Structure formats: structure tokens, C-alpha cells
Amino acid sequence: MAFGQGVTAPKFSKEDEEREIADLTPEECHNIADDIFGHNACEVESRNREEVTDAQLQAFHDAMDRVSIEERAAYMTASVLSPELLETECSPVLFLQCEDYDPDRAAKRMAIYWTKRVEFFGEERAFLPMTLTGAMGDARDLEMIKNNPHVLYILPSDSSGRGVICGDRTTGHVSDRMCGVRLCWYVVHLALKNEMTRLRGIVIVCICKRYSKLKNYDRLRNNLIIKSYKSWLPVKLRAFHVCSPNNSFLEMILPVHKVFMDRNMRQRMKVHFGSEKHHLEDLTAYGLSCDALPPSVSGTYEPNPLWIEQQQQQDLEREQDAE
């Protein structure tokens, strides 16, 4: 049974995984290793620094015109109500970079992005800037995440200069499903303000100690977050690290989540079992240094407990300056 959901959850079995690995081409294996270890970061940055041409942008807009009216309805509303957002926090360039400059995939991703943004944030907030005074400004959400500031936050970049987002369930838990999804979207947009993150992509570190307790586990929320990274947000996920002391619990839930990942995401996920010291040793081998990792994996980086309040104040000051 699917953990209290009342239905049997599909699973990606060990046999499925073995077949998938066997089907990988040598080039795919090389690309996966480059992403996980960051060997290709400079090459990726160089490619993404090249200015997007007028022809590429026109190809994107032509592709968007081919998306059905129903699928691009939210995007069209955004272009009328908040055209500045289409040039800043979610520009076509971001989606083109994310989809390796394929105009059809980029247009499809951007259309779905706006549909999901309206679904998750509601029509009143979806077309506001992705700030703590705008789209993420709901009072109930703010109270919940201020009480749990380390559930999701940005770590220092890895040794390859890529952005790192940490989901840490050690000290807190956001109980509201959709608040957790909205927080994910907000933190990703915050990370994308960093030029190197936009150019080189991001790495996720998920510390799952509290997931040993079934009451802290929400399969549906986690699946929405997985799909956000995989198919909706304009971000390139390079590697995904999962750390847990509990082998048996993760072995139960990971096959369920892998169904919602595509092959690229599954093959870029590394799972680390054992003690905090063991997690640190594993993560440092992938370019995540001790001074850029939190104490929950024996790192020395101390997350700022007031980062949300400080970011909210910065957002408020920017709004006032713009008036």
C-alpha cells in the first residue's frame, strides 16, 4: 500500500533499474558522470554564455504558437498581466538553456510552468513577482516557513561553481503539502538570481533523517517537487544527492518516487546511507566541501536562521525603491 494513500503505488524495481543502466550508451554514461561530478561545468557555462540569437528566440515563439491554446492559456495571461516577468525571472532564454536550446521543448516547458504556477499559487498571486512580498507572500505560508527556515535553503556553490539547494528534514517539517511545493518554487527562483547557477545548473542535497518517521513523509508533495525539477521549472538539475541513516525506509519509498523521474534524473541521483560522517565523506567526493555543507551531515557551514526574514525585508525595500 502507498503509505496511507489508500492505493497501491507503482514502483521502479531493481530489475527496471538494471535494464535502464544496461541500455545507456557510452556517451550517456559519460554525460551522466560529467553532470554528477561537475566535470563539464566550464563547457556548459561557455555554451550558455553565448548570446541567444534572434532566430532562436523567433523559433521559440513559433513553437509557443504551436502549443494548444488551452495549454498556453496561463502563459498568455502572464504576457498580458505581467510581461516584465517574461523578461526577468522566467524569460524564454532560461527555458531554452534548460532544454538545450530545443525550441519546442522549451516552449512546452514554459507553457506548463505557467499553468502550474497558477495552480500552485492561485490567480491572485501567480502573476506577481516570485518574492516573499509577491507570489510567496501568503501570511500562512510565511509563518510556516519562518518557523522552519532550514527545511529548504541555498548552500554555497559546489567546487564546480554550481548552485546547491539543501532540503534538510533534520530540524523542521512543513506540514502543509502545497506550502512545501511553493517553497520549492520560490527557492529555485532565488537560486536562479545567481548567474553561475543559471549558466551551470544546480545540485540538490536532500537530508532525510526525519523520513524514518512515516508521519513526516508526504508522497504526493514529493512527487510534485520531483516533477517541478524534471519538467516545469526553468532549471537544469545536474545531480541529486539523498542522505539518510535509514536504509530500509528509503529502500521502501525510493522505488515509488523513481517512477515519477525520467531516466536523466534517476541516473543523476546518488543515495548515501550511514552516519553523518559517512555522508560528508561521500558528498565531498562529488565536489561538496565540508565548509559548504550543514552540521546535519557533519559539515561546518551554519545556515542563517533568519534568512527568510532578511530576504523578506530585501524584497520589501526593492518594492519601495521601484515605486
Side-chain angles (χ1 to χ4, degrees), residues 29 32 34 43 47 85 116-117 148 244 270 276 284 313:
C29 292
I32 290 167
D34 277 352
E43 177 186 347
R47 182 170 66 248
L85 298 184
K116 293 299 177 181
R117 183 160 168 159
N148 299 278
S244 174
K270 292 294 179 181
E276 294 176 3
T284 53
Q313 182 61 34

Side-chain angles (χ1 to χ4, degrees), residues 9 15 20 40-41 46 51 56 58 60-61 79 109 118 159 167 171 176 183 202 204 224 248 252 262 277 280 316:
E15 291 76 17
E20 183 172 89
N40 61 348
S46 178
E51 186 173 352
Q56 286 174 312
Q58 186 59 52
F60 170 88
H61 290 298
S79 67
R109 191 181 189 105
V118 172
S159 62
T171 59
D176 182 270
L183 177 61
I202 64 166
I204 303 296
L224 287 173
S248 59
M252 180 172 62
D262 59 11
K277 182 179 179 181
L280 179 63
L316 181 60

